[in-house]
Amino acid sequence: MTILLSTLNARYTHASLGLRYLLANMGELKEQTRIQEFVIGAKTTELVERILAHDPRIVGFGVYIWNVEETAKLVAMLKRVAPQIVVVLGGPEVSHETGEQAIVQLADYVVTGWGDVTFPKLCGEILHGPKPLMKVHAGVQPPMADIALPYSLYSDEDIAHRTLYVEASRGCPFKCEFCLSALDKTAWPFNIDGFLAEMDALYARGARLFKFVDRTFNLNIKTSLKIMQFFLDKLAAQPDDPVYAHFELVPDHLPDALKEGIAKFPPGALQFEIGIQSFNPVVQANISRKQDNQKAADNIRWLCEHSHVHMHVDLIAGLPGETVDSFAAGFDKLWALGPHEIQFGILKRLRGTPIIRHTQEFGLVFDPHPPYTILANRDIDFLTMQRLVRFARYWDLVANSGRFNHTIHVLLGERPFDSFMAFSDWLYANTDATHRIALDRLAALVGRWLQQRGMAADESAQLLARDGHGVRQKVTTTAAPQRQARHLAA
């Protein structure tokens, strides 16, 4: 084995699609190449030991916002104990602003952007000459038909225990300035028939949970319908062995043909992630986001009321021009539409994104360390931003978790954002914690809060009991992950 492809995943259940693409496209070097995935939080010395056990000549690391600090430590130690090993970096975190990154200084080479063609070519030059003179190599984007698909490289263990990431297209035609996809000129589709043949092979091997990473699943409706029909056919053929698929949707593009297909899916088979980010037209203009808010709201309402889709809808706090009051208005509007989960995000300054152009005008202050979260801006000071960060964490624990499906409606009342902010402030004052709050303790705290707001003790206990607190909770059996299944069981 000559070339080792590696990365530090956020969780074991996250199988790296990027590494598998590289391996699939290694050409003559494929037989000399292996993948070894790790998980963040492991001891650096142990990771180095496991890498050296393969005695590689080249190690390629996939570098992302969640693993860059630990990968930098890993590269530093690897170069100290085995300086003869050539280290090549790739991935979104090192594809921009390379000159100012410590991890880039530690490595031998960097591939920015698409690595399918450029990384194998670089490896060939390292191994056989002529030796590359440049440290940074801009990734060449090949025709989509020339990219070998990687799905056969998912192992049986991956299929049995991990999320399978797939993509029917790359890129995005939209220009939202907080997103790296703002740098793309368009979206590029793979051949749909070849892609579905790969999905069929995965299904035949036992895959039942597919997570599409396409930014715009519903951009081309004909393709969307073909993909959905693939999963509908599987559900019809084996209704007792359900399949589960996750897609990202553009919120204001849901024609009737797509609605008809969506409506055919049974509960627990389909999940949509929809980025609203902000309902404020001024903020949308600031970040170059084009969105018909009325159509987006109507489509979300339709999906909630007329389909069995599990709905995740995203909002981002801290965008330039967004005040707490305008964010609260958007939050309340979204909650009224009825999605299962509101993904409450805090703005991050991803390397290379155009959001940085607003720094001076809007007083954007970002944490200099990953994940580069916004700390304050012109409209939201640091202390208020910290309250929003805690709100987001508690919201995930209480509302999004599916463990308080009945209680949450009472807790929020007629002013959802304000009510939950008050609860969030009280919860932090009484726990001084945002993580590792045991479920029994959290339920007891929710009960105490409801009682402080005037609810009788027996009434709050009965309400919490409806959500399974105090008794064993039953979860509907589907292909859906456990958290989504809790929402179905409500």
Side-chain angles (χ1 to χ4, degrees):
M1 196 275 294
T2 305
I3 304 166
L4 185 66
L5 303 173
S6 188
T7 195
L8 280 72
N9 296 318
R11 295 184 179 90
Y12 166 75
T13 53
H14 298 179
S16 173
L17 180 60
L19 294 189
R20 286 162 178 79
Y21 263 115
L22 291 179
L23 180 55
N25 288 276
M26 290 301 291
E28 295 179 354
L29 296 174
K30 186 174 180 181
E31 294 303 313
Q32 304 173 49
T33 307
R34 295 290 182 272
I35 289 175
Q36 185 174 44
E37 296 174 271
F38 302 114
V39 179
I40 58 173
K43 290 182 65 174
T44 304
T45 50
E46 294 178 359
L47 300 184
V48 171
E49 185 177 12
R50 291 173 65 184
I51 289 171
L52 294 181
H54 295 283
D55 193 24
R57 291 183 61 186
I58 300 171
V59 179
F61 288 105
V63 187
Y64 301 85
I65 196 170
W66 63 80
N67 71 14
V68 59
E69 292 186 322
E70 292 189 32
T71 306
K73 293 178 182 178
L74 176 55
V75 172
M77 186 176 293
L78 185 63
K79 293 300 288 184
R80 280 183 176 248
V81 300
Q84 76 280 4
I85 293 177
V86 177
V87 171
V88 183
L89 306 179
E93 182 65 11
V94 294
S95 288
H96 306 278
E97 305 170 17
T98 53
E100 60 190 64
Q101 296 190 58
I103 190 172
V104 172
Q105 296 170 14
L106 292 166
D108 297 287
Y109 301 101
V110 179
V111 175
T112 64
W114 298 47
D116 311 272
V117 168
T118 305
F119 179 75
K121 179 176 180 293
L122 177 61
C123 288
E125 293 170 352
I126 293 168
L127 294 172
H128 307 300
K131 183 179 178 181
L133 298 178
M134 302 296 292
K135 181 168 188 169
V136 179
H137 297 254
V140 173
Q141 180 178 336
M144 300 301 283
D146 292 350
I147 300 174
L149 298 181
Y151 303 109
S152 64
L153 298 175
Y154 282 123
S155 67
D156 291 342
E157 183 177 346
D158 294 333
I159 290 171
H161 302 293
R162 307 175 80 183
T163 298
L164 303 187
Y165 294 96
V166 302
E167 60 179 5
S169 65
R170 289 185 184 176
C172 180
F174 301 106
K175 303 300 177 185
C176 307
E177 295 180 14
F178 55 83
C179 180
L180 270 173
S181 295
L183 305 178
D184 297 330
K185 293 182 176 62
T186 184
W188 301 274
F190 288 98
N191 176 272
I192 187 60
D193 294 326
F195 172 77
L196 289 178
E198 293 285 339
M199 297 303 99
D200 195 46
L202 279 177
Y203 181 88
R205 293 175 59 200
R208 294 297 181 268
L209 197 158
F210 298 78
K211 186 164 185 178
F212 282 70
V213 297
D214 305 55
R215 292 293 188 184
T216 51
F217 169 72
N218 57 329
L219 190 64
N220 184 317
I221 299 302
K222 288 184 178 180
T223 299
S224 305
L225 291 172
K226 275 192 173 184
I227 294 172
M228 288 201 303
Q229 191 59 52
F230 169 85
F231 288 107
L232 286 170
D233 291 344
K234 300 304 182 189
L235 288 162
Q238 298 194 59
D240 296 329
D241 187 15
V243 67
Y244 184 82
H246 169 108
F247 302 104
E248 292 188 29
L249 259 66
V250 179
D252 54 3
H253 186 52
L254 201 67
D256 289 341
L258 199 56
K259 288 181 178 178
E260 290 174 12
I262 292 167
K264 296 176 183 178
F265 280 83
L270 201 57
Q271 176 169 293
F272 288 164
E273 184 170 338
I274 297 179
I276 290 294
Q277 320 311 359
S278 173
F279 273 120
N280 186 329
V282 174
V283 175
Q284 291 170 344
N286 287 341
I287 60 173
S288 306
R289 182 175 180 82
K290 295 181 179 180
Q291 177 174 286
D292 186 322
N293 285 337
Q294 189 58 53
K295 278 187 178 180
D298 290 344
N299 289 338
I300 292 170
R301 185 183 295 107
W302 184 91
L303 288 165
C304 293
E305 294 178 354
H306 300 286
S307 80
H308 297 296
V309 177
H310 191 269
M311 294 285 294
H312 287 199
V313 187
D314 300 343
L315 290 177
I316 298 178
L319 292 169
E322 186 87 86
T323 65
V324 173
D325 287 343
S326 69
F327 182 85
F331 184 94
D332 289 353
K333 179 177 181 177
L334 182 54
W335 173 255
L337 298 176
H340 297 93
E341 300 192 21
I342 296 176
Q343 303 284 15
F344 187 144
I346 307 296
L347 178 64
K348 297 173 179 60
R349 190 198 79 80
L350 305 182
R351 291 186 184 276
T353 55
I355 196 75
I356 198 68
R357 73 185 182 92
H358 298 292
T359 297
Q360 185 171 356
E361 180 182 359
F362 290 95
L364 307 182
V365 179
F366 293 95
D367 188 335
H369 303 289
Y372 315 117
T373 306
I374 193 163
L375 301 174
N377 63 27
R378 185 189 68 187
D379 298 297
I380 304 174
D381 62 27
F382 174 74
L383 295 179
T384 305
M385 197 72 76
Q386 290 305 107
R387 291 176 67 208
L388 291 172
V389 170
R390 290 193 290 271
F391 183 118
R393 175 56 184 160
Y394 293 141
W395 180 261
D396 206 47
L397 287 175
V398 177
N400 287 344
S401 69
R403 297 185 184 276
F404 297 88
N405 285 329
H406 298 95
T407 305
I408 189 64
H409 293 276
V410 178
L411 193 153
L412 296 184
E414 296 182 359
R415 301 183 64 186
F417 181 88
D418 289 344
S419 296
F420 200 85
M421 180 60 87
F423 170 67
S424 174
D425 290 341
W426 176 86
L427 192 58
Y428 184 66
N430 282 270
T431 64
D432 196 29
T434 56
H435 294 78
R436 297 182 180 177
I437 302 175
L439 179 58
D440 289 348
R441 185 187 181 204
L442 182 60
L445 287 162
V446 170
R448 277 179 55 195
W449 171 253
L450 292 173
Q451 291 168 41
Q452 288 196 19
R453 305 294 280 188
M455 182 177 286
D458 59 343
E459 188 178 353
S460 67
Q462 290 173 11
L463 181 60
L464 288 164
R466 289 186 65 194
D467 286 322
H469 301 292
V471 297
R472 180 168 293 183
Q473 227 171 347
K474 294 181 180 179
V475 175
T476 303
T477 301
T478 70
Q482 188 177 40
R483 176 155 141 170
Q484 286 84 339
R486 292 194 203 108
H487 291 286
L488 291 170

